[in-house]
Amino acid sequence: QVQLVESGGGSVQAGGSLRLSCAASGRTFSSYAMGWFRQAPGKEREFVAAISLRGGVRYYADSVKGRFTISRDNAKNTVYLQMNSLKPEDTAVYYCAGRPSYVATIASDFGSWGQGAQVTVSS
């Protein structure tokens, strides 16, 4: 496992932007595929985006495709989620997650998780 720490959450008005960062510790970050998930109050955790080891493959949930961008900088041991054109329905706690080798989109496939970052989008 790698230790993950999220930052960059906050409150923004609809149509605004935020960038979440997830810093990883350990010497094996470049061997981990990474993902972002979110959980809104009263709802189950859902997939948002995922990225392969070197960023060559990216997946997005239909609800965020075209608005969110996942990226990573292996030299900095950091994965990012750029969120543009935010909507109130994007309000949730966002979690960074990692797993060895292959990219995935199912939460149970990820074994390393950050503490979560609150994102609130007001109308």
Side-chain angles (χ1 to χ4, degrees):
Q1 294 185 340
V2 296
Q3 293 183 343
L4 305 173
V5 179
E6 295 121 332
S7 62
S11 299
V12 66
Q13 292 186 343
S17 298
L18 284 173
R19 187 177 74 163
L20 301 180
S21 298
C22 175
S25 63
R27 294 173 290 181
T28 59
F29 175 75
S30 62
S31 297
Y32 277 72
M34 303 296 296
W36 288 95
F37 295 79
R38 67 187 183 186
Q39 187 167 20
K43 296 184 178 180
E44 295 184 353
R45 183 170 48 187
E46 66 174 341
F47 168 75
V48 176
I51 189 168
S52 60
L53 301 187
R54 290 179 169 83
V57 179
R58 296 174 174 88
Y59 296 110
Y60 297 95
D62 288 342
S63 59
V64 307
K65 195 170 186 178
R67 300 187 298 119
F68 290 11
T69 302
I70 188 171
S71 62
R72 67 189 296 162
D73 187 340
N74 287 350
K76 296 182 178 180
N77 283 8
T78 302
V79 63
Y80 305 94
L81 184 68
Q82 178 67 46
M83 303 181 291
N84 298 328
S85 301
L86 283 162
K87 305 175 181 179
E89 51 262 45
D90 294 319
T91 296
V93 177
Y94 284 71
Y95 297 93
C96 172
R99 73 180 308 274
S101 296
Y102 298 110
V103 66
T105 60
I106 305 298
S108 60
D109 288 340
F110 291 81
S112 299
W113 293 86
Q115 82 285 357
Q118 177 69 50
V119 172
T120 302
V121 184
S122 60
S123 60

